[in-house]
Amino acid sequence: MISHNHYDHLDRASVRTLANQAGGAPLFLVPLGVKLWLERLGIARAVELDWWDGYIYSAADCPPAEFQLTPAQHWSGRTLSDRNRTLWGGWAVLGADFHWFFAGDTGYSQDFTDIRRRFAARHTALQGGGFDIALIPVGACLPRWFMKDQHVDLSEAVQIHLDLGAKCSVGVHWGTFALADDPLDLPLHELANARGAKGVSEESFFLMPVGGTRRLPRRL
């Protein structure tokens, strides 16, 4: 799964590496408008989705999983002349025994309560309610006057966790690239305050070190 973004030179190298891997190219699931970009790189194995479109992937060695492209508030573009010509979105992945959500880069919006309502019946059909985990951005958020429409701050990130009704969430999109005015390690120092202000525990919304792992229970 990929979303159209503004790191074209990095994307080209990464996508070509995936397409040329041993065993053949993977199936690329992309928002509207991105399939043409892949085709120009010589990659034909792609499925293009609109918001709320779904694709069920199945293979001989694993049970089917449904991928749905969900709304998110951000702009798209790879050059100075193609702003917002392709769709931007997040991803909901519904497997047989695990449901997870990836917000992608996003500003705060009504979309997350809409997403919760959209999947409520399918979550409650299995034990345990909402998404088993949500991946929510927590970095590159300052200054707010400039970043608020496309990058949430820590308080908004915690609110997204609550809006989604996720069992737990992990903070992503921080600590790697200097994209904004906030320090790269800001979430390490400020996420606890943001959680506390909204009554969310560390077990419910956490950060992970590079290379870290955490085991989560399957749905029954």
Side-chain angles (χ1 to χ4, degrees):
M1 303 175 301
I2 63 175
S3 293
H4 202 38
N5 63 40
H6 41 283
Y7 295 106
D8 189 52
H9 61 295
L10 294 176
D11 286 346
R12 288 173 182 268
S14 298
V15 168
R16 284 187 173 122
T17 297
L18 288 171
N20 294 326
Q21 67 185 346
L27 174 66
F28 289 87
L29 304 181
V30 299
L32 292 178
V34 183
K35 187 175 181 179
L36 178 60
W37 179 78
L38 290 170
E39 290 174 348
R40 288 170 176 167
L41 296 178
I43 298 170
R45 192 164 183 250
V47 174
E48 200 169 69
L49 303 175
D50 198 354
W51 285 343
W52 304 124
D53 282 350
Y55 181 86
I56 297 177
Y57 177 82
S58 60
D61 57 349
C62 63
E66 181 175 356
F67 295 75
Q68 281 203 26
L69 185 70
T70 60
Q73 179 178 294
H74 200 279
W75 53 271
S76 66
R78 296 183 181 278
T79 71
L80 296 176
S81 61
D82 66 347
R83 182 64 61 92
N84 290 331
R85 292 186 182 177
T86 63
L87 190 63
W88 187 274
W91 292 95
V93 183
L94 310 180
D97 58 8
F98 201 79
H99 291 182
W100 63 272
F101 176 78
F102 174 63
D105 286 12
T106 186
Y108 182 73
S109 69
Q110 175 72 27
D111 292 321
F112 301 102
T113 54
D114 292 345
I115 290 166
R116 181 177 186 170
R117 286 195 296 266
R118 184 85 176 194
F119 293 104
R122 299 182 67 177
H123 287 326
T124 55
L126 296 173
Q127 183 179 6
F131 290 104
D132 296 291
I133 192 167
L135 283 65
I136 301 173
V138 294
C141 60
L142 298 178
R144 293 309 294 149
W145 67 267
F146 182 69
M147 289 293 188
K148 67 182 181 66
D149 290 334
Q150 58 266 355
H151 289 175
V152 295
D153 62 17
L154 291 167
S155 177
E156 291 168 332
V158 176
Q159 188 60 49
I160 289 173
H161 164 79
L162 295 171
D163 290 351
L164 290 170
K167 294 184 198 174
C168 67
S169 295
V170 58
V172 298
H173 193 262
W174 68 280
T176 303
F177 298 106
L179 302 175
D181 287 353
D182 41 308
L184 290 177
D185 61 351
L186 180 68
L188 290 174
H189 306 291
E190 298 296 336
L191 180 57
N193 292 334
R195 285 194 309 253
K198 295 182 179 293
V200 174
S201 68
E202 183 177 4
E203 292 74 24
S204 296
F205 197 134
F206 52 87
L207 302 174
M208 296 183 66
V210 174
T213 60
R214 181 170 296 207
R215 185 178 295 274
L216 299 172
R218 294 181 176 183
R219 290 172 173 262
L220 300 177

